[in-house]
Amino acid sequence: MTHLSVNLNKIGLLRNSRGRDYPNVVEMAKRTLDLGAFGVTIHPRPDQRHATYKDAHDLKNLLKKYPGKELNIEGFPDKEFLNVVLEAQPDQCTLVPDDPNQLTSDHGWNIARDQDALRPVIGKLKAQGIRVVLFMDPIAENMKLAKEVGADRVELYTEEYASQYDTEERAAVLQRYQDAAQAALDAGLGVNAGHDLDLSNVEALCENGAITEVSIGHALTVEALEYGWDNVVKMYLEKLS
Ligand SMILES: CC(=O)[C@@H](O)[C@H](O)COP(=O)(O)O
Ligand SMILES: NCC(=O)COP(=O)(O)O
């Protein structure tokens, strides 16, 4: 079984588009957890275009009422982001090497280049009992270094898997992700995955059991326009069970 963490960024985007608290991110998180999701994720970006730093605190307060469920906060570890994470104390923090002006996340860490910056950040988060995840491209050779800089898990960046899923490259690409996941496990890391996963491609990625948690938001929100939020969350839970 793979845990489902629903990314609420697009709920935040809809909310921010009218300047009122509707839809309410905390209400959607509560609804999602009550449906059986393992957790919720937000990825607040410096411009707070969708998820906000206030959402981090509000969601943390909600999760206090859900023992065993988790809050995952993703983002680039700049000073403001780290202050928010250290205040909010999520269960998990996924560090993502995004520039502020990126449309969305589109690459994993270059740990060999960034290790001196990452080590103290990871140490500070872990000292607070926060599980630390590094957002990584599916390159098996890089997994040992993720462990060496102190990460607890990696999150495999799955855009390439998703974009190749409906092509004849599917099997080869999936094998590369499975090899990267196994290399992470062999290095003593847990394995998460996310970005562009959807109802059609999530099952094949997770069926060998190597992946502990997927975080899904964009496609899930779009699919909910067709099937309804509750039905879509239940559909993912069924596929990941
Ligand atoms: C790291 C990752 O893949 C997700 O957090 C993704 O970046 C969502 O961000 P947007 O919702 O801004 O696309
Ligand atoms: N880490 C991936 C995530 O949180 C959601 O990515 P997406 O499903 O919005 O592409």
Side-chain angles (χ1 to χ4, degrees):
M1 188 190 87
T2 299
H3 289 155
L4 172 66
S5 184
V6 175
N7 185 307
L8 298 169
N9 281 1
K10 300 303 160 5
I11 302 300
L13 189 66
L14 205 51
R15 172 201 54 201
N16 296 356
S17 66
R18 272 292 173 90
R20 288 189 288 121
D21 196 12
Y22 179 65
N24 178 288
V25 166
V26 172
E27 278 307 309
M28 288 306 286
K30 182 177 183 312
R31 183 170 170 177
T32 304
L33 296 170
D34 288 343
L35 285 161
F38 174 75
V40 291
T41 290
I42 55 168
H43 183 154
R45 296 179 179 273
D47 61 7
Q48 300 187 72
R49 71 189 82 154
H50 41 47
T52 65
Y53 296 138
K54 180 178 181 299
D55 290 330
H57 298 292
D58 292 348
L59 288 171
K60 172 63 184 200
N61 288 332
L62 174 71
L63 268 291
K64 288 173 184 172
K65 301 169 192 164
Y66 286 86
K69 305 260 183 177
E70 293 197 353
L71 173 61
N72 174 41
I73 301 178
E74 304 199 342
F76 179 80
D78 62 24
K79 191 168 184 298
E80 190 168 29
F81 175 83
L82 284 174
N83 285 341
V84 169
V85 172
L86 291 169
E87 285 165 14
Q89 296 277 311
D91 303 279
Q92 179 173 270
C93 179
T94 301
L95 301 178
V96 188
D98 285 357
D99 294 328
N101 56 4
Q102 270 182 231
L103 175 65
T104 186
S105 307
D106 60 12
H107 62 282
W109 286 100
N110 177 340
I111 300 180
R113 180 193 64 201
D114 301 331
Q115 57 186 310
D116 293 344
L118 281 170
R119 284 181 200 278
V121 166
I122 293 170
K124 196 178 284 187
L125 294 170
K126 287 178 72 167
Q128 295 293 317
I130 299 169
R131 182 188 313 125
V132 177
V133 182
L134 290 180
F135 194 63
M136 300 289 287
D137 296 311
I139 302 169
E141 300 75 59
N142 293 345
M143 298 304 155
K144 269 187 188 168
L145 200 46
K147 180 69 176 177
E148 283 170 20
V149 293
D152 297 299
R153 295 187 190 174
V154 293
E155 178 181 350
L156 298 181
Y157 168 46
T158 48
E159 189 277 333
E160 183 189 6
Y161 166 75
S163 65
Q164 298 292 316
Y165 186 75
D166 293 326
T167 75
E168 58 192 25
E169 295 304 313
R170 178 194 299 183
V173 174
L174 177 58
Q175 187 60 58
R176 193 140 48 74
Y177 278 83
Q178 289 173 337
D179 292 347
Q182 191 54 54
L185 293 171
D186 293 346
L189 292 159
V191 184
N192 293 353
H195 204 96
D196 284 344
L197 295 176
D198 65 26
L199 284 170
S200 69
N201 64 34
V202 69
E203 216 164 354
L205 181 76
C206 298
E207 66 188 354
N208 76 349
I211 294 172
T212 299
E213 178 181 305
V214 289
S215 42
I216 306 176
H218 189 84
L220 187 151
T221 308
V222 174
E223 290 157 341
L225 297 176
E226 181 173 355
Y227 299 109
W229 187 269
D230 293 13
N231 289 329
V232 163
V233 172
K234 288 176 193 164
M235 289 161 81
Y236 275 103
L237 290 172
E238 175 64 31
K239 287 178 179 293
L240 294 169
S241 64

